[in-house]
Amino acid sequence: MIERYITHAGAEAIAEIVSLARGLQGLRVLHVNSTYHGGGVAGMLRSLVPLMNDVGLDADWVVLFGEPKLFAATKKFHNALQGEEVFPGEEELATYFRVNEFFARYSPFDHDVVIIHDPQPLPAIASREKREPWVWRCHIDLSAPNARVWELLKPYILRYDAVVVSSEAFRKADLPTETFIIPPAIDPFSPINRELPQEEVERKLAQYGIPLDKPLIVQVSRFDKWKDPLGVLEVYRRVREGTEARLVMLGNMAGDDPEGPEIFDRVREGAATLPDVHLITETDELLVNALQRAAAVVLQLSTREGFGLTVSEALWKGTPVVATAVGGIPLQVRDGETGFLVAPGDYDAAAERVLSLLRDPGLRARMGEAGRAHVRENFLVTRLLRDWLSLIGELLG
Ligand code: UDP
């Protein structure tokens, strides 16, 4: 299985992975997150866990079995860690700690390394007699966390042996725990990223009633305020003053994100005043793939973003991205090279960049090519696997 990545990552990358895995054969690694579906973390684990097994580790993945109240609390943590002034209520906090305590007590944690993803299962560590290294892998944009929530979670984070974040921008000066930077990555063989012949792209778009008569502007993101879906409409409104285009916004609902439906309703209201807008909430990974290929320009207008896998996904398909310069996005969009960066909320600048790309196919092609090369170099799952093997090796001495 790992061998098939030679075509994309090169033989040296595979040899390095095999060499790093040699000392870790049979090692039991447990990943814990809070959903099997929706969002970037679940997608990444779907590739990373089988690959870890393929190179000889014994990797497992379990999900914190929650209840709606848990996700109401953890979404507040998520929002607060990204800087919002919000704090879970007493009952939500009680649910959070109780669910984690039960989970820790009744789940099989008989492993050599435990990797906890994001805040949902963070406090499980407090209910374990811990013998093995535990890593807290935070995928959230930690550039400006709400102090009250950060102080509440910090004692739990301090119990961990290592913290992993996606970008240097998220390293916390007040966190003495050793912190590693491992950016996320995409799998070139997953349904979202695999090669897709043009006929298949067209068939997929036809299935959703999206004609290819005008250039497509696309944002693929959960309907989440941090992805600024209303801002996408604002940019599109301005673009339409300059040229014809269609806007497609695709966002499925993640199992651990209770805010999606409400945000979607607001987007639907906003979109009703604009022509040629397609809003889709279906879960369809081949549609993601087809849209990222068919788009003339992909947008990612997040106001906070841990990484934004959708950016690498689009670049991998040779599509330039106009995105906000926040969180993990500038790692992927090199301004003027693989796409354009704008300040969050600067819809005029974003529209101007989109228009310049729509008017210049040569520029689109050059940026698309640079984008694919940049992802090949930095954001394929083989690099992610290598970084994890290297970190696990280091933690186990
Ligand atoms: N995604 C999807 N269908 C959708 C919307 C998103 O499959 O309707 C995928 C998207 O292609 C990406 C992941 O979900 O692989 C989202 O990851 P990202 O890092 O962009 O954002 P997150 O949702 O984790 O904040």
Side-chain angles (χ1 to χ4, degrees):
M1 188 177 168
I2 189 73
E3 307 77 33
R4 62 198 289 242
Y5 290 83
I6 290 175
T7 42
H8 293 308
E12 274 172 27
I14 309 306
E16 190 184 0
I17 286 168
V18 169
S19 153
L20 283 166
R22 197 168 300 130
L24 307 175
Q25 294 301 297
L27 196 89
R28 295 160 308 161
V29 178
L30 178 65
H31 289 273
V32 183
N33 80 321
S34 63
T35 176
Y36 284 121
H37 302 288
V41 179
M44 223 163 3
L45 288 175
R46 250 188 287 149
S47 293
L48 184 62
V49 171
L51 279 173
M52 281 186 162
N53 283 302
D54 186 62
V55 299
L57 284 73
D58 181 356
D60 270 348
W61 170 13
V62 302
V63 163
L64 174 73
F65 33 87
E67 49 185 277
K69 229 184 283 163
L70 170 78
F71 296 130
T74 56
K75 186 70 206 251
K76 284 187 184 158
F77 282 132
H78 179 105
N79 289 342
L81 288 175
Q82 297 209 133
E84 192 177 317
E85 276 306 318
V86 61
F87 200 80
E90 228 166 87
E91 210 185 318
E92 287 170 339
L93 282 178
T95 306
Y96 176 58
F97 290 115
R98 179 176 42 78
V99 168
N100 267 284
E101 192 189 330
F102 278 26
F103 172 73
R105 197 175 296 159
Y106 299 114
S107 301
F109 274 83
D110 186 19
H111 292 77
D112 302 307
V113 179
V114 178
I115 302 169
I116 297 286
H117 294 264
D118 283 337
Q120 294 90 335
L122 171 71
I125 194 169
S127 310
R128 297 295 303 179
E129 202 181 307
K130 171 177 161 315
R131 296 194 179 83
E132 62 288 298
W134 281 54
V135 180
W136 187 49
R137 199 312 176 204
C138 180
H139 297 268
I140 293 172
D141 183 335
L142 286 180
S143 52
N146 164 330
R148 196 168 159 217
V149 162
W150 180 246
E151 289 309 321
L152 176 84
L153 297 181
K154 205 159 117 188
Y156 296 94
I157 303 171
L158 285 169
R159 288 174 177 255
Y160 283 76
D161 300 279
V163 169
V164 172
V165 292
S166 298
S167 161
E168 273 299 338
F170 307 149
R171 193 187 284 285
K172 301 316 298 166
D174 65 341
L175 189 68
T177 310
E178 197 168 4
T179 300
F180 298 82
I181 312 297
I182 303 184
I186 65 163
D187 185 339
F189 295 111
S190 69
I192 289 180
N193 298 305
R194 74 162 169 84
E195 288 307 314
L196 206 60
Q198 182 61 19
E199 313 87 73
E200 232 182 300
V201 170
E202 286 170 20
R203 216 176 317 130
K204 208 15 113 180
L205 297 186
Q207 184 190 331
Y208 286 88
I210 304 167
L212 281 166
D213 54 345
K214 300 170 188 172
L216 295 183
I217 302 169
V218 170
Q219 177 160 303
V220 176
S221 278
R222 289 179 294 107
F223 286 97
D224 176 348
K225 59 176 168 289
W226 301 106
K227 313 282 186 182
D228 198 7
L230 295 172
V232 171
L233 296 178
E234 282 313 306
V235 171
Y236 177 66
R237 189 189 306 281
R238 288 160 174 75
V239 169
R240 282 298 300 238
E241 287 164 11
T243 189
E244 289 279 291
R246 280 184 188 279
L247 175 67
V248 185
M249 298 178 74
L250 170 63
N252 60 2
M253 305 287 167
D256 59 352
D257 179 1
E259 292 179 340
E262 184 198 322
I263 307 271
F264 179 72
D265 285 344
R266 286 173 30 206
V267 175
R268 195 166 39 190
E269 266 171 46
T273 62
L274 288 163
D276 302 325
V277 178
H278 304 254
L279 303 179
I280 307 170
T281 56
E282 232 55 44
T283 294
D284 186 339
E285 294 186 325
L286 282 183
L287 178 63
V288 174
N289 190 333
L291 282 171
Q292 288 167 338
R293 283 177 200 283
V297 182
V298 160
L299 293 177
Q300 192 59 53
L301 297 188
S302 312
T303 53
R304 289 274 200 276
E305 190 58 80
F307 184 70
L309 284 164
T310 47
V311 174
S312 275
E313 289 164 4
L315 296 178
W316 178 244
K317 293 162 187 118
T319 303
V321 178
V322 173
T324 42
V326 300
I329 291 175
L331 299 172
Q332 306 168 79
V333 175
R334 288 187 167 157
D335 192 31
E337 194 188 320
T338 66
F340 289 112
L341 290 173
V342 296
D346 191 346
Y347 307 131
D348 288 334
E352 199 182 299
R353 293 311 200 181
V354 171
L355 277 168
S356 70
L357 282 161
L358 291 183
R359 288 174 178 147
D360 188 346
L363 178 63
R364 291 209 298 274
R366 282 196 302 283
M367 285 191 157
E369 205 175 307
R372 183 163 169 104
H374 184 53
V375 171
R376 185 192 301 283
E377 210 40 45
N378 300 288
F379 304 117
L380 293 185
V381 68
T382 35
R383 193 273 305 145
L384 181 66
L385 177 62
R386 181 200 71 194
D387 286 355
W388 273 113
L389 295 178
S390 169
L391 174 57
I392 291 168
E394 195 174 326
L395 288 175
L396 295 172

